[in-house]
């Protein structure tokens, strides 16, 4: 069982380019999340989805969009990347009691 | 809005010292509480969790946490730290008032020196 996988592991991106970070889980969890982690700021929630077909905005949603076409996949898209989106991005899913399980992360550098 | 406060940003301890990391949350209703650990260069992993019952919860690697409802606290403890405990520790709370995501504290970085 892989748990949560994320791709790519790391990426260098030119500003203005579009980028989709992929996240897939095999635990059949309804809820999934995207966070960004920046030094001194901890984890900040970008978007979340409580179940397939629904999404919600987190603390820092601007510049990001998500979709949840099915239970397993929750991609995060940066429509036009900016340097302030340089960060480490973590995808997570949670079970019915709220315990979250995290993916290995994607390190993104926007130049 | 609910919030989670971790009082220490960076804690430096010598090996074998005792550890206590503070965590307070701001919601008065039913909550589930968690501590996660992030080792350097890795993702967050669950250390322990409290849902109900005995307020003293034991987790992996000798860690424990005590839920004190009257103080809205869930402090993490370990009697004797090791160099391998060097990591960042995150407290998190989920509030059961509808579908709400986990709320994380900003983390405490622990450095254990030999």
């Amino acid at each position: 069982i892989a748990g949560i996988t994320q791709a790519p592991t790391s990426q260098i991106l030119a500003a203005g380019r579009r980028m989709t970070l992929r996240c897939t889980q095999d635990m059949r969890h309804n809820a999934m999340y995207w966070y960004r982690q920046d030094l001194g700021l901890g984890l900040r929630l970008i978007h979340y989805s409580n179940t397939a077909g629904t999404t919600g905005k987190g603390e820092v949603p601007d510049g990001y969009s998500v979709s949840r076409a099915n239970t397993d996949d929750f991609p995060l898209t940066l429509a036009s990347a900016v340097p302030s989106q340089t960060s480490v991005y973590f995808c997570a899913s949670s079970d019915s009691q709220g315990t979250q399980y995290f993916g290995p992360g994607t390190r993104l550098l926007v130049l | 809005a609910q919030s989670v406060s971790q009082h220490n940003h960076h804690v430096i301890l010598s090996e074998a010292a005792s550890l206590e990391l503070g965590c307070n949350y701001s919601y008065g209703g039913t909550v589930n509480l968690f501590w996660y650990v992030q080792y350097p260069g890795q993702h967050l992993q669950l250390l322990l969790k409290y849902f109900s019952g005995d307020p003293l919860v034991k987790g992996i690697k000798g860690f424990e946490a005590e839920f004190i409802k009257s103080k809205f606290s869930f402090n993490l403890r370990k009697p004797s730290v090791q160099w391998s405990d060097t990591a960042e520790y995150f407290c998190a709370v989920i509030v059961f008032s509808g579908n709400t995501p986990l709320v994380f504290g900003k983390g405490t970085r622990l450095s254990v020196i030999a």
Side-chain angles (χ1 to χ4, degrees):
Chain A
I1 295 177
I4 296 183
T5 57
Q6 292 184 236
T9 303
S10 63
Q11 182 74 46
I12 300 173
L13 190 65
R17 297 295 297 269
R18 180 184 179 89
M19 174 76 191
T20 295
L21 308 185
R22 299 184 299 279
C23 174
T24 300
Q25 54 117 349
D26 63 5
M27 296 176 281
R28 307 302 293 173
H29 289 162
N30 283 325
M32 296 187 74
Y33 312 87
W34 274 105
Y35 295 89
R36 60 178 290 173
Q37 185 177 29
D38 304 286
L39 195 62
L41 298 177
L43 287 166
R44 293 184 291 171
L45 182 66
I46 305 171
H47 284 287
Y48 64 95
S49 170
N50 287 325
T51 190
T54 69
T55 62
K57 294 182 179 181
E59 180 184 356
V60 289
D62 293 344
Y64 305 95
S65 63
V66 291
S67 61
R68 187 85 185 279
N70 57 61
T71 297
D72 298 343
D73 301 301
F74 191 43
L76 176 74
T77 297
L78 289 67
S80 178
V82 295
S84 62
Q85 291 178 310
T86 292
S87 187
V88 181
Y89 292 86
F90 289 101
C91 179
S93 69
S94 67
D95 62 23
S96 59
Q97 292 178 309
T99 302
Q100 286 194 7
Y101 301 87
F102 286 82
T106 294
R107 285 158 178 73
L108 180 66
L109 174 62
V110 182
L111 299 174
Chain B
Q2 297 83 27
S3 65
V4 177
S5 298
Q6 292 184 241
H7 315 299
N8 310 102
H9 296 295
H10 189 193
V11 173
I12 302 172
L13 294 174
S14 299
E15 276 194 318
S18 64
L19 169 71
E20 181 160 1
L21 301 182
C23 173
N24 287 88
Y25 61 95
S26 67
Y27 184 71
T30 301
V31 294
N32 286 354
L33 299 152
F34 306 83
W35 276 98
Y36 284 83
V37 59
Q38 185 178 29
Y39 298 105
Q42 296 188 26
H43 61 284
L44 274 75
Q45 303 169 47
L46 182 66
L47 199 54
L48 49 79
K49 59 187 177 183
Y50 171 80
F51 292 162
S52 63
D54 188 344
L56 185 61
V57 180
K58 295 193 183 297
I60 60 172
K61 302 185 180 184
F63 285 91
E64 64 180 31
E66 185 175 12
F67 171 50
I68 302 179
K69 188 173 182 179
S70 61
K71 295 185 178 180
F72 300 93
S73 70
F74 190 55
N75 292 355
L76 181 71
R77 300 195 293 249
K78 185 171 184 178
S80 176
V81 294
Q82 301 172 322
W83 177 82
S84 58
D85 293 324
T86 294
E88 190 147 16
Y89 293 82
F90 293 90
C91 181
V93 173
I94 187 166
V95 173
F96 283 99
S97 58
N99 284 326
T100 56
L102 212 59
V103 178
F104 282 88
K106 292 199 180 299
T108 296
R109 185 155 62 101
L110 172 66
S111 299
V112 180
I113 55 178

